Amino acid sequence: MRCNHPADSSSCNQETQTNINLMDVFNFVDLLPAKNGEEPTMQFLLEIVEILTNYVRKTFDRSTKVLDFHHPHQLLEGMEGFNLELSDQPESLEQILVDCRDTLKYGVRTGHPRFFNQLSTGLDIVGLAGEWLTSTANTNMFTYEIAPVFVLMEQLTLKKMREIIGWPDGEGDGIFSPGGAISNMYSVMIARYKFFPEVKTKGMTAAPRLVLFTSEHSHYSIKKASAALGFGTENLILLNTDKRGRVIPADLEAKVIEAKQKGYVPMFVNATAGTTVYGAFDPINEIADICEKYNMWLHVDGAWGGGLLMSRKHRHKLNGVERANSVTWNPHKMMGVPLQCSAVLVRERGLLTGCNSMCAGYLFQPDKQYDITYDTGDKAIQCGRHVDIFKFWLMWKAKGTVGFEQHIDKCLDLSAYLYDKIKNREGFEMVFDGEPQHTNVCFWYTPPSLRSFKAVYKLFVAPKIKAMMMESGTTMVGYQPQGNKVNFFRMVISNPAATRSDIDFLIEEIERLGHDL
Amino acid sequence: MRCNHPADSSSCNQETQTNINLMDVFNFVDLLPAKNGEEPTMQFLLEIVEILTNYVRKTFDRSTKVLDFHHPHQLLEGMEGFNLELSDQPESLEQILVDCRDTLKYGVRTGHPRFFNQLSTGLDIVGLAGEWLTSTANTNMFTYEIAPVFVLMEQLTLKKMREIIGWPDGEGDGIFSPGGAISNMYSVMIARYKFFPEVKTKGMTAAPRLVLFTSEHSHYSIKKASAALGFGTENLILLNTDKRGRVIPADLEAKVIEAKQKGYVPMFVNATAGTTVYGAFDPINEIADICEKYNMWLHVDGAWGGGLLMSRKHRHKLNGVERANSVTWNPHKMMGVPLQCSAVLVRERGLLTGCNSMCAGYLFQPDKQYDITYDTGDKAIQCGRHVDIFKFWLMWKAKGTVGFEQHIDKCLDLSAYLYDKIKNREGFEMVFDGEPQHTNVCFWYTPPSLRSFKAVYKLFVAPKIKAMMMESGTTMVGYQPQGNKVNFFRMVISNPAATRSDIDFLIEEIERLGHDL
């Protein structure tokens, strides 16, 4: 039956036919831990792996589409029998395999060489293997007791990251969190704990009116943290940037002084290393000077740009990062690690635990037989915590530091190639002048038919081309407005599979689709 | 070379020998997206799968150990060449395979039928397949654009969960979060937004002194949320419980009145459905009456006990849950879904978005071609969000609602079996009287040699036996103190592989190890 399925007719051969016929008679109750469950289990898993390896093959094949777009109502109505509804009764394992194939068929190939839509792209094979192992091990980071190897890997990797940041001997602390937004939230919490530890017990009313600062171009997670942690978004002051999207240090100092004059307490500054849209790097050293002068916490949000620390050629863009009190760094972005993999690193040891520990006796018994300083749970805001370290550790083993460096240098070379190619190309207009600092290349495109009406139609072109792009499924790139700049394309390159030919393809595809406007 | 490796000599045969010899010459640069990378990629992934399927086989084999315990310093020094340190230069893919084997060898088999250490145990094969697929798809939940199928699966599954809770037509909202602690944190944030929406912009100083209530037996994440969100842990009032660990509603009402008399504003009550240690279910209906009377938000933390809603026999323990304003429910605990899988469900639609939205233009463009109400990112405190839904959805498909019900009923039957077996057994003493409400069975064991000194030695017995248990690697069960009760064993059963014989084994193993004390 599988060979009749439209989703995967290519994999039809005698061997899989046989497997399917066997699979047909099995249900989940036949799998392990069922008695005699080993054979159906192995067979089922190998069927799954065949589906997945086919998907991997196609992901890297430029002749396949990036996506097969359907509207929500179409998928909800059930595409060719793909029924998303849950029911009371079990499905056969054969149907489960069909469901898996359909899930992949109607999804988006984020590893495709022409997928440029997000900061996280690509499909690293070693990272993928690491994630398969992680889910097979199915354990939890909170104690050494049940994750001895992963806890140590996390510790060693965090230390290595701190060394690369430039903190002496890699000293400090840190933790892997479920993403950059949570990592940034940690930094605000820790800063508050450092300056006003009584807030932990007495609440925000125990502190004076605290003020935070971040770039108008920074990630919205700083704003989310201000709201969630009880500061209030009004107490997050947005800093002006230059035309390239970098914080103007003088503006920070002026706003700090203004806040102090009002009787507020400036507490925390976020400097972004690689903004989401422009890829701008705030001048960390100049910001650090101001933080030292006014006794404020300096956080560097390197969720996107932190990866450049691995490159001898590009790490100067983060000069001064070693002066930060905390750093967010997401290997799942520029370093190509599968989702999720984000770290927050803290220069001063003890703060993370001090801030978050509640000493839950049922989990963190002081009378265990091993060195319980290896139990990490009490420094997290989480209790259970997913194992995000292994895939990253394994990739680091496989590539070495030099492999990450090569990947990053290559992506930045590609973005320079793109920039050079379009900066003077007809119909293209750069959103800001000069070579991008990161792989972000921001531009408008105006099709020939609209060039005389440019100002009026600019707003609609990128959304329209993006919609056509998704419907044709050939490539994906993001667009957005920023401040008073209306919708423009933001090209980002973090995909190790991308080559110059894919960059060429993207430009030509935008032009091709634009022609029909 | 692989066949000489101590970790996996059993899988030695001609075919793998050949593979290994090939693998030996490959490095990560030969994998996709390398030109001609398809063959080494497929071969590498199949090697990984062989390692993983061997591990799965052994996990369910009672003749294997649950763990091979080593102290942190032993693993850090490098066991039989297993080197955790990261280096600048790449390793061969062959070494990567060895690293994978070693990682599993020195880990803990959380799916082993005799692993009872945590609330999350077991290894569901369909769930595992789902997680392998998830990591292969490697996408992100924030927009429909790049996760169309997963976003819809999440929506349908959350609706189904709300129906099961008993909210009319499954209306309301919800989101999958990185764990129960974060889900509980969401509930406090949403409650605050409901009553004091101005806190989002103005901070906690815009609200009166707010007070939260939770059981002295509740999970520490409520306390973590109080600290993180700016309430302060002193404004979290702990409620007294009866001998079974259930909140005494009269104590809640008395403390609410007391807080009001002090001029504080009682805002939020957490009722636990299945406490971590005793497995107690707070009386939700009586607590709901008080919440209605005093206009407080009622949250039900069903991280552990929520799964019982799937069982017609046991769901009465959560009677009144439909009166909650929000519910935490972790399928990765009692329902056997691989980690991480936790949902927070909210009765009133709009609050989750109102509380968290920041309308980031670069991600959530209003001018997309599809119905953007399907973009979930702006209701999260995260930006990127891991795909936690697919494994759960796939398991539900494979088992049906009835399959989850059977699993839960079986685990509760097993705990009743354990309780019956030890309640009058010599040397065993129950921590509280009566049949457990959940699968938690709490008991002290006193070895024959210490029975005359019982009171003095009680504190040391469980840690000592647990340490011996880990060193012999035969089984794992948790212990902890609770209030003035010193260290006792907490047995929990969520593992679908466990049988009565494993319960018998646990008891006999505790007695066997105790004999040497």
Side-chain angles (χ1 to χ4, degrees), chain B residues 263-502:
Chain B
Y264 308 159
V265 175
M267 188 196 82
F268 173 96
V269 179
N270 173 56
T272 307
T275 59
T276 313
V277 179
Y278 282 17
F281 288 78
D282 289 337
I284 301 176
N285 266 320
E286 290 166 81
I287 294 171
D289 290 341
I290 299 167
C291 287
E292 282 172 18
K293 185 170 170 187
Y294 296 97
N295 191 30
M296 300 182 291
W297 184 277
L298 173 58
H299 176 66
V300 171
D301 176 4
W304 172 224
L308 271 63
L309 290 169
M310 307 297 278
S311 158
R312 281 163 287 193
K313 187 172 166 192
H314 295 287
R315 66 165 288 144
H316 69 90
K317 294 167 186 173
L318 291 98
N319 275 351
V321 66
E322 71 286 354
R323 297 173 66 188
N325 300 98
S326 55
V327 176
T328 292
W329 176 352
N330 289 9
H332 73 213
K333 292 198 164 83
M334 196 61 211
M335 294 168 76
V337 178
L339 291 157
Q340 60 190 43
C341 192
S342 168
V344 60
L345 301 130
V346 187
R347 195 170 58 188
E348 184 178 332
R349 208 171 174 80
L351 290 180
L352 198 52
T353 304
C355 178
N356 293 310
S357 73
M358 297 293 160
C359 302
Y362 70 86
L363 200 53
F364 312 115
Q365 303 84 17
D367 41 18
K368 289 178 178 175
Q369 90 271 33
Y370 61 82
D371 179 354
I372 56 160
T373 60
Y374 288 93
D375 286 353
T376 67
D378 217 19
K379 55 169 103 161
I381 53 168
Q382 304 182 257
C383 174
R385 188 160 59 90
H386 190 258
V387 177
D388 296 333
I389 185 60
F390 181 66
K391 58 198 165 204
F392 183 30
W393 180 89
L394 197 69
M395 281 175 68
W396 204 320
K397 281 279 187 187
K399 288 170 183 283
T401 313
V402 297
F404 284 121
E405 178 176 46
Q406 283 158 8
H407 165 62
I408 283 154
D409 288 351
K410 185 195 147 199
C411 289
L412 278 136
D413 283 354
L414 275 181
S415 73
Y417 172 79
L418 168 62
Y419 170 73
D420 287 339
K421 186 150 180 168
I422 63 174
K423 66 182 173 188
N424 297 316
R425 193 179 180 98
E426 198 170 357
F428 288 81
E429 182 190 353
M430 305 310 295
V431 173
F432 57 84
D433 292 331
E435 192 166 320
Q437 291 187 282
H438 205 323
T439 68
N440 308 48
V441 180
C442 297
F443 59 92
W444 290 282
Y445 173 69
T446 310
S449 61
L450 298 175
R451 279 179 203 162
S452 47
F453 314 99
K454 197 154 96 175
V456 183
Y457 288 97
K458 223 171 184 177
L459 176 64
F460 307 104
V461 174
K464 187 70 196 153
I465 289 180
K466 170 71 177 275
M468 294 163 76
M469 200 178 258
M470 284 178 68
E471 268 150 48
S472 69
T474 47
T475 181
M476 274 178 86
V477 60
Y479 75 87
Q480 69 287 297
Q482 171 85 44
N484 58 2
K485 318 254 188 199
V486 299
N487 287 323
F488 54 86
F489 288 111
R490 179 207 60 177
M491 176 69 177
V492 280
I493 305 165
S494 62
N495 193 334
T499 62
R500 290 189 172 198
S501 72
D502 299 308

Side-chain angles (χ1 to χ4, degrees), chain A residues 70 144-145 224 380 466, chain B residues 70 144-145 224 380 397 466:
Chain A
H70 294 87
Y144 178 84
E145 186 170 321
K224 287 212 177 195
K466 170 69 177 277
Chain B
H70 293 87
Y144 178 84
E145 186 169 322
K224 287 212 175 193
K397 281 279 187 187
K466 170 71 177 275

Side-chain angles (χ1 to χ4, degrees), chain A residues 249-285:
Chain A
D251 188 58
L252 168 61
E253 183 155 20
K255 284 172 175 164
V256 167
I257 292 169
E258 191 188 335
K260 286 171 77 83
Q261 280 166 349
K262 288 181 183 163
Y264 308 160
V265 176
M267 187 194 84
F268 174 96
V269 179
N270 173 56
T272 307
T275 58
T276 313
V277 179
Y278 282 18
F281 288 77
D282 290 337
I284 301 176
N285 266 320

Side-chain angles (χ1 to χ4, degrees), chain A residues 285 287-296 298 323 347:
Chain A
N285 266 320
I287 294 172
D289 290 341
I290 299 167
C291 288
E292 281 172 17
K293 184 170 171 187
Y294 295 97
N295 191 31
M296 299 182 292
L298 173 59
R323 297 172 66 188
R347 194 170 60 187

Side-chain angles (χ1 to χ4, degrees), chain A residues 26-39:
Chain A
F26 287 129
N27 282 307
F28 86 96
V29 290
D30 302 305
L31 299 175
L32 285 168
K35 201 166 174 250
N36 305 320
E38 197 170 300
E39 192 203 328

Side-chain angles (χ1 to χ4, degrees), chain A residues 70 83-85 117 144-145 192 201 219 224 228 230 234 362 365 367 380 393 397 466 479 487, chain B residues 70 83-85 91 117 144-145 192 201 204 219 224 228 234 362 365 367 380 393 397 466 479 487:
Chain A
H70 294 87
N83 177 12
L84 294 169
E85 291 287 345
N117 207 64
Y144 178 84
E145 186 170 321
R192 179 175 65 185
T201 49
H219 191 261
K224 287 212 177 195
E234 287 178 4
Y362 69 88
Q365 303 85 15
D367 42 18
W393 180 90
K397 280 279 186 187
K466 170 69 177 277
Y479 74 87
N487 287 322
Chain B
H70 293 87
N83 176 12
L84 293 170
E85 291 287 345
E91 281 184 357
N117 207 64
Y144 178 84
E145 186 169 322
R192 180 175 64 184
T201 49
M204 282 297 274
H219 190 261
K224 287 212 175 193
E234 287 178 5
Y362 70 86
Q365 303 84 17
D367 41 18
W393 180 89
K397 281 279 187 187
K466 170 71 177 275
Y479 75 87
N487 287 323

Side-chain angles (χ1 to χ4, degrees), chain A residues 346-464:
Chain A
V346 187
R347 194 170 60 187
E348 184 177 331
R349 209 173 173 80
L351 289 181
L352 198 51
T353 303
C355 178
N356 292 309
S357 74
M358 298 292 160
C359 303
Y362 69 88
L363 201 51
F364 312 115
Q365 303 85 15
D367 42 18
K368 289 178 178 176
Q369 89 270 33
Y370 60 83
D371 178 355
I372 56 160
T373 61
Y374 290 93
D375 286 352
T376 67
D378 217 18
K379 54 169 102 162
I381 54 167
Q382 302 183 257
C383 174
R385 188 161 58 92
H386 190 257
V387 177
D388 296 333
I389 185 61
F390 182 66
K391 58 197 164 204
F392 182 32
W393 180 90
L394 198 68
M395 281 175 68
W396 204 321
K397 280 279 186 187
K399 289 171 183 283
T401 312
V402 296
F404 284 121
E405 178 175 47
Q406 284 157 10
H407 165 62
I408 283 154
D409 288 351
K410 185 196 146 200
C411 289
L412 279 136
D413 284 353
L414 274 182
S415 71
Y417 173 78
L418 169 62
Y419 170 72
D420 287 338
K421 187 151 180 168
I422 63 172
K423 66 181 173 190
N424 297 316
R425 193 179 180 99
E426 197 171 358
F428 287 81
E429 183 190 351
M430 304 311 293
V431 173
F432 57 84
D433 292 333
E435 192 167 318
Q437 290 187 283
H438 205 322
T439 69
N440 308 49
V441 180
C442 297
F443 60 91
W444 289 282
Y445 173 69
T446 310
S449 62
L450 298 176
R451 279 178 202 162
S452 47
F453 312 99
K454 198 154 96 174
V456 182
Y457 288 97
K458 223 173 185 176
L459 176 64
F460 306 106
V461 174
K464 186 69 196 152

